[in-house]
């Protein structure tokens, strides 16, 4: 744990906590251009402020680092995947070592009320609402860390040590050289470890292994005071649980020890369709309840789409081509169950896997003519989204606004949600994937900072539209944001118990509602590890408090 504070510091901490609580309860996060409040619809305002030398502390320039600061031409740090907000920092740190980050944060912490400078750790810049940006603050380019690399330990149980700025796709390729791989993934692998662990890291394996934050043995973290601490379930446990799913509020992850398992070589990849949501959700819930189920279970919603099965034929084969050719979607809302079984392609295993798949499918009630299958490599399956990215980049359709919404919805509310959202709000063709699948609460650790619905089973639902530049139609940003507003309004109904994933709020009251009964715990953790609120201002949970740090 952190070294015990002095009595003087304890006394000051109590005063600071009272001050924090008062500030937090009576004030909202400062307005920086009407950041798409959840209380009213607005088009996000893009702000780009030139970083001037007067905003850059001269002492920052004098720090002795292995890496370096860039004070000019930092437009890249004022963008993210969401492409909705542009906030220019005064500087970007390109660290080579953990010391570079630690000494910089410690220096800013020691400046106390003399500086309003804040710090944001930026991985691959895949945030949606400016969370990886720092308005006139300092951005740390985590991908420039060089000293850790990827170190695979083929012990029992096996694990891998990696930098917080390492991409999951690189970890996959390196661990596969040892016949191993992490257990839990995200759908998109070109993200950094620190970025996904600061949120949760969810994909179709989460029903079985939990999110990525549940598959971590140990972390190295730099707190908002510049301390470098190793933490785990047994060492500095409070910091460990604070940082996991902590939205970057309590520390910057510079190293992670990730649990591994034997890696398969091949994947049986299957898609089937449903016309009734109740049957679709029943089958998904049945599959995640089984001990010997598929390795991956997801699903998605298709509204008023035509030629669905024909599009699948480029990557999947129909079990019955004749039946498949006679299927007509008729503009209906359809629900696709997407499942996968991992295996190694020796003769005996292949026979057993095929039989297991047949047994599992026989218990489901999908539209039989829509059964499509494919056999791909493990890497090809896990990196499937990257192929779509390359196609969109080729058409200049990747770096467009992405006004995404992500929710965690209790099982008891999922049918109300489907009826209202899929039946009344999304009445036209959805402009981008709508992903939906259930997970088991028992696979999540309630001690982390991550907030889930309070039910044994809840659903991850993601709306992933892309807004076409300059469009004033249904694929334009304004139309999508209005539609998002209607979905958000419905999801705030208290009885539904819905939580945002990758949450975005603009007022402290909304954040308090999000954290619920754990709000005081979150405030306590903030005080313990980032008492000046230096870290991750882009989340807009806390603002930097202007008083000197304790001696």
């Amino acid at each position: 744990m952190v070294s015990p504070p002095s009595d003087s510091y304890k006394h000051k901490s109590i005063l600071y906590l009272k001050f924090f609580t008062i500030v937090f309860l009576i004030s909202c996060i400062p307005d920086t251009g009407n950041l798409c409040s959840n209380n009213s619809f607005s088009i996000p305002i893009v702000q780009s402020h030139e970083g001037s030398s007067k905003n850059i502390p001269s002492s920052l320039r004098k720090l002795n680092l292995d890496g370096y600061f860039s004070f000019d031409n930092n437009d890249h740090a004022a963008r993210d995947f969401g492409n909705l907000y542009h906030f220019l920092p005064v500087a970007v740190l390109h660290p080579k070592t953990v010391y570079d980050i630690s000494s910089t944060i410690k220096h800013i912490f020691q400046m106390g009320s003399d500086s309003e400078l804040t710090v944001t750790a930026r991985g691959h810049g895949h945030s949606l609402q400016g969370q990886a940006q720092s308005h006139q603050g300092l951005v740390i380019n985590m991908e420039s860390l060089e000293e850790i690399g990827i170190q695979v330990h083929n012990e029992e149980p096996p694990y891998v040590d990696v930098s917080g700025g390492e991409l999951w796709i690189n970890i996959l390729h390196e661990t596969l050289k040892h016949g191993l791989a992490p257990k839990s993934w995200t759908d998109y692998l070109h993200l950094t470890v620190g970025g996904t662990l600061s949120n949760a890291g969810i994909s179709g394996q989460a029903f079985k292994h939990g999110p990525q934050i549940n598959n971590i043995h140990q972390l190295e973290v730099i707190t908002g005071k510049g301390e470098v601490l190793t933490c785990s379930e047994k060492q500095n446990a409070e910091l460990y649980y604070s940082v996991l799913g902590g939205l970057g509020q309590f520390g910057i992850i510079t190293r992670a020890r990730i649990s591994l398992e034997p890696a398969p070589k091949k994947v049986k990849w299957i898609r089937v369709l449903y016309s009734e949501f109740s049957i679709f959700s029943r089958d998904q819930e049945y599959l995640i309840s089984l001990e010997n189920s598929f390795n991956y279970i997801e699903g998605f919603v298709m509204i008023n789409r035509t030629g669905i099965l024909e599009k699948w034929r480029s990557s999947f084969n129909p079990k019955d081509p004749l039946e498949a050719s006679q299927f007509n979607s008729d503009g209906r809302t359809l629900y696709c169950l997407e499942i996968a079984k991992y295996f190694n392609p020796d003769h005996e295993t292949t026979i057993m896997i095929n039989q297991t798949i047949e047994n599992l499918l026989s218990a489901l009630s999908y539209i039989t003519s829509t059964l499509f299958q494919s056999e791909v490599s493990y890497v090809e399956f896990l990196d499937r989204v990257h192929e779509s990215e390359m196609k969109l980049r080729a058409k200049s359709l990747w770096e467009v606004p992405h006004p995404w919404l992500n929710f965690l919805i209790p099982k008891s509310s999922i049918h109300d949600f489907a009826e209202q959202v899929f039946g009344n709000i999304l009445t036209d063709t959805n402009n981008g994937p709508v992903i939906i699948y259930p997970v088991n609460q028992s696979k999540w650790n309630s001690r982390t900072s991550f907030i889930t619905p309070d039910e044994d089973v809840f659903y991850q639902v993601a709306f992933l539209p892309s807004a076409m530049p300059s469009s004033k139609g249904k694929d334009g940003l304004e139309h999508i944001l209005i539609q998002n507003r209607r979905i958000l309004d419905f999801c705030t109904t208290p009885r539904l118990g819905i939580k945002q994933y990758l949450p975005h709020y603009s007022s402290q009251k909304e954040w308090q509602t999000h954290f619920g009964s754990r709000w005081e715990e979150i405030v306590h953790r903030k005080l313990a590890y980032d008492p000046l609120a230096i870290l991750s201002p882009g989340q807009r949970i806390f603002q930097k408090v202007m008083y000197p740090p304790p001696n």
Side-chain angles (χ1 to χ4, degrees):
M1 296 296 290
V2 181
S3 300
S6 65
D7 290 340
S8 172
Y9 180 71
K10 287 181 180 177
H11 176 69
K12 290 181 180 179
S13 294
I14 293 171
L15 294 177
Y16 294 154
L17 178 57
K18 291 179 179 178
F19 178 75
F20 261 99
T21 304
I22 293 170
V23 170
F24 292 159
L25 292 177
I26 67 174
S27 68
C28 289
I29 296 162
D31 188 300
T32 53
N34 194 8
L35 298 175
C36 203
S37 168
N38 285 350
N39 294 321
S40 62
F41 166 74
S42 63
I43 296 290
I45 296 176
V46 175
Q47 296 193 5
S48 182
H49 298 275
E50 294 298 328
S52 61
S53 57
K54 69 178 181 179
N55 293 327
I56 304 168
S58 58
S59 57
L60 206 62
R61 297 177 181 271
K62 298 176 183 178
L63 288 177
N64 184 20
L65 305 175
D66 295 310
Y68 67 94
F69 288 105
S70 61
F71 298 103
D72 301 298
N73 302 316
N74 290 323
D75 288 350
H76 65 282
R79 303 182 69 89
D80 59 20
F81 179 72
N83 206 17
L84 297 171
Y85 308 106
H86 299 169
F87 296 109
L88 196 67
V90 296
V92 174
L93 172 63
H94 303 269
K96 284 189 177 181
T97 64
V98 170
Y99 169 81
D100 288 347
I101 303 173
S102 171
S103 58
T104 299
I105 294 178
K106 186 176 294 184
H107 178 77
I108 294 172
F109 177 73
Q110 291 172 346
M111 294 168 73
S113 59
D114 292 337
S115 170
E116 295 183 7
L117 205 60
T118 54
V119 176
T120 297
R122 177 187 176 93
H124 213 50
H126 211 261
S127 60
L128 300 172
Q129 308 274 5
Q131 292 95 332
Q133 300 174 36
S134 188
H135 171 55
Q136 294 189 334
L138 176 68
V139 169
I140 300 177
N141 175 19
M142 296 301 294
E143 290 186 276
S144 71
L145 271 177
E146 296 180 352
E147 64 181 338
I148 298 175
I150 302 175
Q151 303 166 11
V152 180
H153 298 264
N154 203 342
E155 302 175 5
E156 189 55 46
Y159 62 89
V160 60
D161 285 325
V162 301
S163 163
E166 192 62 74
L167 297 180
W168 285 98
I169 184 64
N170 296 337
I171 297 169
L172 173 62
H173 287 304
E174 188 63 29
T175 55
L176 284 177
K177 295 176 184 177
H178 301 262
L180 300 167
K183 300 174 183 178
S184 192
W185 298 95
T186 55
D187 287 333
Y188 181 60
L189 302 189
H190 295 251
L191 304 172
T192 59
V193 168
T196 65
L197 297 186
S198 294
N199 288 283
I202 310 175
S203 186
Q205 305 87 5
F207 79 95
K208 185 175 184 179
H209 296 293
Q212 290 181 320
I213 58 175
N214 269 45
N215 293 277
I216 303 300
H217 294 313
Q218 188 183 87
L219 297 170
E220 179 184 77
V221 174
I222 301 176
T223 70
K225 295 181 278 189
E227 304 164 306
V228 182
L229 298 172
T230 298
C231 55
S232 66
E233 290 182 341
K234 297 181 180 179
Q235 180 183 8
N236 292 320
E238 183 67 19
L239 177 61
Y240 172 77
Y241 289 118
S242 296
V243 170
L244 292 173
L247 303 174
Q249 294 301 300
F250 314 107
I252 295 174
I253 298 171
T254 51
R255 180 179 59 82
R257 178 165 291 177
I258 303 166
S259 178
L260 301 177
E261 66 178 357
K265 291 182 175 142
K266 291 284 187 177
V267 175
K268 296 279 189 181
W269 188 4
I270 300 165
R271 287 178 177 173
V272 294
L273 289 179
Y274 294 77
S275 59
E276 296 292 333
F277 180 80
S278 60
I279 301 174
F280 164 73
S281 59
R282 183 193 67 194
D283 279 1
Q284 279 193 321
E285 291 169 17
Y286 165 73
L287 288 175
I288 72 165
S289 73
L290 301 177
E291 185 173 341
N292 184 23
S293 187
F294 290 96
N295 301 96
Y296 162 98
I297 299 170
E298 285 199 13
F300 48 93
V301 185
M302 292 165 290
I303 299 172
N304 196 26
R305 291 290 178 93
T306 58
I308 296 169
L309 301 190
E310 287 305 311
K311 293 176 182 177
W312 287 1
R313 289 178 186 270
S314 61
S315 302
F316 293 81
N317 299 313
K319 182 177 182 181
D320 189 322
L322 180 59
E323 278 196 15
S325 66
Q326 296 172 348
F327 175 79
N328 188 345
S329 62
D330 296 325
R332 293 174 289 170
T333 296
L334 294 168
Y335 307 93
C336 173
L337 173 63
E338 184 172 53
I339 45 186
K341 193 71 175 174
Y342 305 160
F343 70 105
N344 289 309
D346 60 83
H347 180 69
E348 184 176 344
T349 301
T350 301
I351 293 175
M352 290 176 58
I353 288 296
N354 287 338
Q355 186 59 56
T356 298
I357 291 173
E358 286 294 326
N359 292 341
L360 289 169
L361 291 175
S362 67
L364 306 182
S365 300
Y366 56 88
I367 301 170
T368 56
S369 61
T370 66
L371 174 57
F372 275 63
Q373 303 182 65
S374 180
E375 185 175 308
V376 296
S377 71
Y378 186 54
V379 172
E380 187 179 354
F381 173 71
L382 290 180
D383 201 27
R384 60 197 179 278
V385 177
H386 187 55
E387 181 180 347
S388 299
E389 175 190 350
M390 293 298 98
K391 292 177 180 177
L392 291 171
R393 284 189 182 277
K395 299 176 182 178
S396 299
L397 294 176
W398 183 253
E399 296 182 356
V400 298
H402 295 98
W404 289 6
L405 291 176
N406 292 268
F407 298 102
L408 302 176
I409 302 176
K411 173 184 173 181
S412 63
S413 299
I414 195 63
H415 293 280
D416 286 347
F417 178 90
E419 181 180 357
Q420 177 64 22
V421 176
F422 304 146
N424 295 325
I425 297 177
L426 296 180
T427 54
D428 300 310
T429 303
N430 43 297
N431 185 36
V434 178
I435 298 173
I436 178 169
Y437 56 92
V439 294
N440 293 309
Q441 175 75 267
S442 62
K443 303 297 182 180
W444 296 62
N445 193 318
S446 61
R447 294 183 66 185
T448 70
S449 293
F450 190 77
I451 301 298
T452 67
D454 190 22
E455 287 192 12
D456 293 339
V457 172
F458 57 88
Y459 280 75
Q460 148 79 339
V461 180
F463 300 88
L464 311 178
S466 299
M468 296 301 100
S470 304
S471 174
K472 300 298 182 182
K474 294 178 179 178
D475 58 353
L477 180 59
E478 183 171 356
H479 176 82
I480 295 171
L481 287 174
I482 291 173
Q483 190 169 260
N484 283 0
R485 174 73 273 139
R486 294 182 64 195
I487 296 172
L488 281 165
D489 286 344
F490 174 74
C491 289
T492 56
T493 305
R495 66 176 177 80
L496 298 176
I498 295 172
K499 296 294 184 182
Q500 282 193 32
Y501 176 52
L502 310 177
H504 168 69
Y505 301 105
S506 60
S507 76
Q508 197 135 94
K509 182 178 180 181
E510 291 169 315
W511 279 111
Q512 285 180 260
T513 300
H514 173 77
F515 286 110
S517 62
R518 298 190 62 191
W519 172 246
E520 290 185 9
E521 178 186 3
I522 296 299
V523 172
H524 172 78
R525 288 177 171 184
K526 187 68 171 178
L527 176 66
Y529 302 114
D530 183 25
L532 294 186
I534 290 170
L535 301 177
S536 294
Q539 297 286 359
R540 296 181 278 277
I541 305 174
F542 303 104
Q543 70 179 81
K544 189 170 183 182
V545 178
M546 296 292 103
Y547 56 76
N551 295 324

